[in-house]
Amino acid sequence: MGHGVLVTGATGTVGRHLVGRLLAHGVRVRALCRSPESAAALLPQGVEIARGDLTDSATLESALRGVDAAFVLLAEDAGEAFARAAHRAVGLRQLVVVSADAPQGPGFDNPLFVKHVRGEARLRATALPLTVLRPGPFASLALQWAPALAAGDVVGVVHPDLAVPVIDPRDIAEVAAAVLLGPEPPGVRILPLSGPQALDVHARVRVLGEVLGRELKVARIAEEQWVRLAAGRIPEAYARQLIEVERYLIRRRLPVVASVREITGSAPRSFRTWAQDHLAAFSAPHRAPSFEEAS
């Protein structure tokens, strides 16, 4: 690695781990943060912190000066500002973006689908070498159940039988680190990522109960009830978009893939390992995390 890496989302569940991995390999890391003061308390020493916003191309242009690679999260503008800044960047030689498996075409106008489809297209248009990471749902989405489990032993969901190969965010970070530390890939590479097995909500809640030493249950609830329960955490429109994503995942049946092991040399972490490592999040009083914090 030459001049260094710009990491967006550096204080998130993926970004924090990626920053640590890159620093451990002697890479100069610059973190893009809306609030450098808050980020300084969360990030390790040695990280350069650049004030900026993923939807503001001017601050992105400044943050990209002097780095030769960037780790990109897609914001509400579906990568428009980042792509504009990347077009103008001098010395930028590689992009790694976190996207998602998303359908496209007529009938698929869900903003959560559109963001990833358009974001990938805009970053492809930069003509820079691009690695697209498409992880399955994050294991950390289980943090959304923490408020319910603080009040009782029942988790209410709309689709309890939806089985997905949830992935530990740390494995996504380690794949990103391996790509950034390796030879610059030519062209565009798509990497689907998954955990080691597909688990439905019943299975994940059972594992969580075993880790917590409690007998937990899952209840199927109506969509409208779930939207009302989520109202304190997320806007109604977003809640309905998430339910639509779940319906897509039921049809799609995301496969278990070997990419994590192939890229990093290590097996992906199990949901049980994630739960054991985050036991404290379910054992202490807390507010409900947003979906952005959980993912």
Side-chain angles (χ1 to χ4, degrees):
M1 186 62 62
H3 296 95
V5 177
L6 175 68
V7 176
T8 67
T11 60
T13 53
V14 176
R16 282 200 302 268
H17 194 78
L18 174 59
V19 166
R21 295 285 291 180
L22 293 175
L23 286 176
H25 282 82
V27 175
R28 183 169 66 87
V29 178
R30 180 178 297 161
L32 182 79
C33 304
R34 290 177 179 173
S35 172
E37 298 77 16
S38 299
L42 298 172
L43 296 173
Q45 289 186 345
V47 177
E48 298 176 17
I49 299 179
R51 185 186 298 275
D53 191 295
L54 274 168
T55 61
D56 183 342
S57 60
T59 58
L60 287 167
E61 284 184 44
S62 176
L64 285 169
R65 291 192 188 105
V67 300
D68 54 10
F71 173 77
V72 188
L73 297 184
L74 294 171
E76 294 80 4
D77 72 341
E80 182 176 5
F82 195 97
R84 191 182 306 122
H87 274 295
R88 299 172 182 168
V90 176
L92 188 60
R93 300 202 303 265
Q94 180 182 182
L95 301 177
V96 176
V97 61
V98 177
S99 186
D101 184 292
Q104 54 185 306
F108 294 109
D109 58 354
N110 184 322
L112 298 179
F113 295 147
V114 171
K115 179 175 78 170
H116 294 106
V117 172
R118 288 184 180 171
E120 288 186 23
R122 284 170 174 152
L123 293 183
R124 283 173 185 258
T126 65
L128 289 164
L130 172 66
T131 300
V132 179
L133 307 182
R134 290 181 180 168
F138 290 13
S140 49
L141 286 172
L143 293 171
Q144 292 295 314
W145 304 332
L149 296 181
D153 295 322
V154 180
V155 171
V157 296
V158 177
H159 299 113
D161 299 321
L162 169 60
V164 289
V166 292
I167 184 168
D168 192 313
R170 294 173 293 186
D171 288 321
I172 302 169
E174 290 179 12
V175 169
V179 171
L180 290 164
L181 292 165
E184 295 166 14
V188 178
R189 177 167 56 163
I190 308 294
L191 288 178
L193 304 176
S194 81
Q197 63 182 140
L199 299 172
D200 63 15
V201 177
H202 296 284
R204 279 176 274 158
V205 169
R206 181 169 58 252
V207 169
L208 191 55
E210 291 169 357
V211 170
L212 292 171
R214 295 166 57 185
E215 186 174 345
L216 305 180
K217 298 179 180 178
V218 178
R220 184 189 300 272
I221 61 177
E223 291 184 13
E224 293 303 318
Q225 182 181 357
W226 188 85
V227 169
R228 289 196 299 272
L229 290 172
R233 295 179 278 131
I234 54 177
E236 178 182 340
Y238 187 43
R240 296 188 186 282
Q241 291 164 18
L242 288 168
I243 292 173
E244 186 178 342
V245 169
E246 289 192 350
R247 286 198 291 266
Y248 167 70
L249 292 174
I250 290 171
R251 300 191 302 272
R252 175 70 175 88
R253 295 186 179 181
L254 290 176
V256 173
V257 294
S259 304
V260 171
R261 184 187 291 274
E262 289 171 354
I263 299 297
T264 69
S266 299
R269 295 170 174 86
S270 67
F271 180 74
R272 182 179 298 274
T273 295
W274 178 88
Q276 291 169 334
D277 291 346
H278 294 82
L279 182 62
F282 296 91
S283 303
H286 59 278
R287 63 177 177 82
S290 70
F291 275 85
E292 288 77 7
E293 291 170 318
S295 62

